[in-house]
Amino acid sequence: MDQEVIQCERSGVNPKWPSYKSVLGRIAKGPYVSDDYEFNGIREYVERGDAFAKPSMPVPNNDNVTRSSSEWMAVTRAHKVMATAPDNPQWLLELAHWLRYYQVGIWQLFFWAGQFDIIAKAAGNDRRRQNYSIQTATNMMAAMAILGWKDAVIHQGYLTHAALNRGHQLVIEYEEQHRRAQAFMLRVFADWVGDVSHQWPAYAYDEPIYEALLANWRTPSPDDLMPCLLAACDRHTWQTGKESQKNSYDFNQDWHLERVPVEILYILRLRQWEGLANPQKIDHPLLAAPFDQLPSEQPVPELDELMQGVLKRAREDWPQYDEVLSLPALKS
């Protein structure tokens, strides 16, 4: 007996969905932070120039905080690379480059959140360093999946769940902005690996499209899943807009992913890793080239000298650094 096709109610494409031209125009307007400025800040950490007070940093880094400058630098640039991919034949190479910077930066950020907990507890209070963005962390996990970096996706997924379960997520983003697409991708990750979970607030469970996809993403027949994939594409177009105190969007203008189907390609890559067939074509304007098919799996580039320097200092300052970031520790 054939499996019943999974039904999802479609909303159609948002008539106000931003055009690709408008996304490019917004990116062109900036704001920009120069690469030199960003690189100089990272070099300052690598060379221990942060041990001394200066106008740009009035308080010296006497505690050897694991500086995470490359995380923000990479998040900004990786999102732009994906947004401008239709005009950039080198987008996969550039995305791979910035994701390596992101990995180093998010390790730095995660490590210090945990170390801060230890320092606060020793001082007799229960403060937490809440600096982990589930929106950007999940977008970057999806980008790793697009590149076919399975090991990186696994580590990033466990890292993000550890941050959530230890209370290091940005409070307003988590409690008020309700990033349902990102929560969905993390819930799919948890379902995929099978040994991690998070008790999400109610909003993470109230999107019927995502509930159907989560329940059925492993269905053997890609045709059975097509109605929900198309409905999720429609939803993406309605989740684009400018952030305000009243309105939040999963694919907002801040990160320029209005026309990048990160959540769809993420699902397709996980299905591929599960040995399941994917649709030959998803006929939706969100899946325009180069996002009309999964890229071939890309090589993971070696860390450059600057990122190696960041890790060298962190490991010198904190002998437990790699252990804290290991999969067994993240799973605990």
Side-chain angles (χ1 to χ4, degrees):
M1 183 175 180
D2 292 336
Q3 184 172 347
E4 183 180 353
V5 175
I6 304 152
Q7 296 298 329
C8 285
E9 184 176 350
R10 293 191 61 180
S11 57
V13 175
N14 181 0
K16 296 183 180 180
W17 184 37
S19 67
Y20 177 58
K21 183 178 179 181
S22 70
V23 173
L24 292 182
R26 193 181 326 111
I27 292 173
K29 291 179 181 178
Y32 294 105
V33 178
S34 73
D35 284 355
D36 286 344
Y37 177 84
E38 301 273 22
F39 285 132
N40 287 339
I42 298 170
R43 289 191 189 97
E44 182 179 70
Y45 173 81
V46 170
E47 297 168 2
R48 298 185 179 274
D50 58 356
F52 309 99
K54 55 180 71 69
S56 61
M57 189 186 66
V59 180
N61 186 10
N62 293 327
D63 292 323
N64 289 323
V65 175
T66 51
R67 187 164 174 173
S68 58
S69 306
S70 62
E71 183 263 345
W72 183 256
M73 181 183 190
V75 161
T76 303
R77 287 154 179 79
H79 279 97
K80 289 180 180 177
V81 168
M82 288 190 284
T84 58
D87 289 329
N88 181 6
Q90 300 299 312
W91 74 277
L92 292 170
L93 289 174
E94 292 180 16
L95 183 59
H97 170 78
W98 289 119
L99 284 180
R100 290 298 271 157
Y101 268 61
Y102 173 80
Q103 286 180 301
V104 173
I106 201 65
W107 299 339
Q108 295 280 98
L109 185 148
F110 179 90
F111 179 88
W112 190 252
Q115 190 62 34
F116 184 89
D117 279 356
I118 295 170
I119 293 172
K121 185 176 181 180
N125 63 54
D126 59 357
R127 291 178 62 198
R128 284 187 176 274
R129 188 172 182 86
Q130 293 165 311
N131 58 351
Y132 199 99
S133 167
I134 61 169
Q135 184 185 30
T136 58
T138 309
N139 290 348
M140 294 300 98
M141 181 180 70
M144 294 169 190
I146 291 170
L147 294 184
W149 292 3
K150 188 175 183 179
D151 290 344
V153 169
I154 290 171
H155 192 269
Q156 179 72 8
Y158 280 111
L159 188 82
T160 303
H161 276 85
L164 285 165
N165 291 333
R166 298 172 195 181
H168 294 299
Q169 62 270 32
L170 294 170
V171 175
I172 292 177
E173 181 184 276
Y174 179 76
E175 295 183 357
E176 298 179 18
Q177 294 174 334
H178 298 180
R179 309 295 187 189
R180 290 173 175 83
Q182 285 74 25
F184 161 70
M185 286 188 275
L186 289 168
R187 291 174 65 207
V188 172
F189 174 85
D191 185 73
W192 179 47
V193 296
D195 63 351
V196 70
S197 63
H198 176 66
Q199 187 60 49
W200 290 91
Y203 69 81
Y205 306 94
D206 67 9
E207 174 49 72
I209 296 167
Y210 288 156
E211 294 307 295
L213 276 173
L214 179 62
N216 297 284
W217 71 271
R218 283 189 175 96
T219 183
S221 170
D223 293 336
D224 293 341
L225 204 60
M226 185 68 81
C228 286
L229 291 174
L230 290 170
C233 289
D234 287 347
R235 182 188 184 278
H236 186 117
T237 70
W238 289 92
Q239 278 295 310
T240 59
K242 185 177 181 180
E243 293 279 288
S244 69
Q245 289 185 333
K246 292 184 178 180
N247 297 304
S248 297
Y249 302 94
D250 295 344
F251 308 106
N252 52 58
Q253 292 183 3
D254 293 344
W255 299 118
H256 313 298
L257 295 187
E258 296 102 312
R259 303 187 70 90
V260 183
V262 287
E263 75 281 34
I264 307 301
L265 296 179
Y266 169 75
I267 286 287
L268 297 182
R269 183 67 81 188
L270 293 191
R271 284 180 56 85
Q272 183 187 76
W273 286 336
E274 288 289 284
L276 299 168
N278 280 321
Q280 292 293 316
K281 178 178 175 60
I282 301 176
D283 189 12
H284 194 282
L286 182 65
L287 274 292
F291 307 123
D292 53 339
Q293 58 185 349
L294 275 176
S296 59
E297 294 191 358
Q298 302 295 303
V300 180
E302 295 292 330
L303 293 175
D304 65 18
E305 184 177 355
L306 190 59
M307 290 299 99
Q308 290 180 35
V310 170
L311 293 182
K312 181 176 182 292
R313 174 177 174 180
R315 288 163 175 159
E316 289 172 350
D317 292 343
W318 305 99
Q320 74 275 36
Y321 186 82
D322 289 322
E323 181 182 354
V324 168
L325 291 163
S326 68
L327 277 180
L330 297 177
K331 293 179 181 182
S332 64

